[in-house]
Amino acid sequence: WELADLSLFRHAPHILRPRIYNEQAWRLQNTFGQNFSSETSGRHYHPVNGAAVLDDFAHRMTVATEEPLYKFIHVGIPHLPVAVNAECEFTGVLRHSRETFRGQARCGVARVAAFLDRLRAIGVYDNSLIVISSDHGIGLPPRAFAHDRPAPDGSLSVIAGKAMALLLVKPPRSTGPVRVSQAPTAITDIPVTVADALGVRHQLPGEPALKLAEAAPRVRTFGSYAWEHEDWRAN
């Protein structure tokens, strides 16, 4: 129905296009596409699409060149709203809580793990530099958060939850178990981490995450902005 909407939009007279676009609630998708199956009815949610696309991508992935290659893959599974469970099944939109989001997060972990297993199966995992990161945390207060207090953008504990961004790095030809580090890294360290791991000369800001000492004193900045729904719906 998405393809049908796009085709209709392309061939329709300009005066009819706003009705097809329907303020991003595309006409055919929301008239017919919600009635066929639970999978179809959830496809306009990030987690449902993300789980389906990453699963299909991992199964189809093959080696097509011997040349060095860079891939960026956006995994939409952890994104709100909570709409899948730990088995990546569509549940409908659930209330956002630590318990419901944990299930959706487990779906994301399982899909990424299957992707990494596929890299091993086709023989490119060991020689690859792999960085897994998020842009921010989900905003659930960290457990046993001390000295909570109000802040301009909500309580300090919620902001702290948003500031806990995931960062995992696997260098090329590395072996051994996963190591957890308390080094004060930031996701803005990713460019210099990649360049350093590949031996590329650079003048990038930041610190290589794999070389940053756990006791390193460091100030990290987290930017927060006020959400304005109208801004995201503007042309």
Side-chain angles (χ1 to χ4, degrees):
W1 287 111
E2 181 177 359
L3 291 174
D5 265 325
L6 294 174
S7 298
L8 183 62
F9 183 84
R10 182 186 180 197
H11 293 288
H14 189 73
I15 194 173
L16 296 179
R17 289 182 177 183
R19 298 192 64 186
I20 300 167
Y21 175 67
N22 196 28
E23 295 293 338
Q24 203 168 321
W26 291 84
R27 184 68 58 182
L28 297 182
Q29 291 173 69
N30 282 278
T31 302
F32 303 109
Q34 310 303 314
N35 302 322
F36 289 93
S37 69
S38 61
E39 182 181 7
T40 302
S41 65
R43 276 302 180 93
H44 61 289
Y45 297 118
H46 288 287
V48 183
N49 275 318
V53 170
L54 194 57
D55 182 53
D56 194 54
F57 184 73
H59 280 92
R60 292 172 178 264
M61 186 165 48
T62 59
V63 177
T65 178
E66 295 297 322
E67 297 298 318
L69 196 65
Y70 169 80
K71 290 285 187 181
F72 176 85
I73 301 172
H74 181 204
V75 181
I77 304 171
H79 201 288
L80 292 178
V82 177
V84 298
N85 59 20
E87 287 72 40
C88 296
E89 299 166 333
F90 177 57
T91 59
V93 177
L94 302 177
R95 185 179 63 85
H96 175 211
S97 68
R98 192 179 300 275
E99 181 181 1
T100 58
F101 185 76
R102 182 187 293 116
Q104 186 154 292
R106 289 185 182 279
C107 167
V109 170
R111 286 290 192 261
V112 171
F115 172 78
L116 297 178
D117 287 340
R118 180 63 178 173
L119 291 181
R120 294 185 185 93
I122 61 178
V124 298
Y125 178 87
D126 289 338
N127 291 332
S128 296
L129 167 65
I130 300 172
V131 178
I132 302 174
S133 71
S134 64
D135 50 354
H136 54 76
I138 196 60
L140 294 168
R143 295 189 184 278
F145 187 87
H147 309 298
D148 199 7
R149 61 182 184 272
D153 194 28
S155 67
L156 194 62
S157 60
V158 171
I159 295 175
K162 293 178 180 178
M164 296 173 66
L166 176 72
L167 179 61
L168 295 94
V169 182
K170 187 207 77 72
R173 294 170 295 281
S174 62
T175 59
V178 173
R179 180 173 64 90
V180 177
S181 171
Q182 298 299 322
T185 59
I187 57 173
T188 48
D189 293 328
I190 292 175
V192 68
T193 300
V194 170
D196 186 76
L198 297 179
V200 177
R201 296 179 61 183
H202 63 84
Q203 293 182 324
L204 296 167
E207 299 287 343
L210 297 171
K211 295 181 178 178
L212 189 62
E214 296 200 33
R218 194 179 189 196
V219 175
R220 291 176 293 175
T221 300
F222 175 74
S224 183
Y225 64 91
W227 172 269
E228 293 290 346
H229 185 68
E230 292 75 16
D231 292 347
W232 286 81
R233 295 185 65 86
N235 289 330

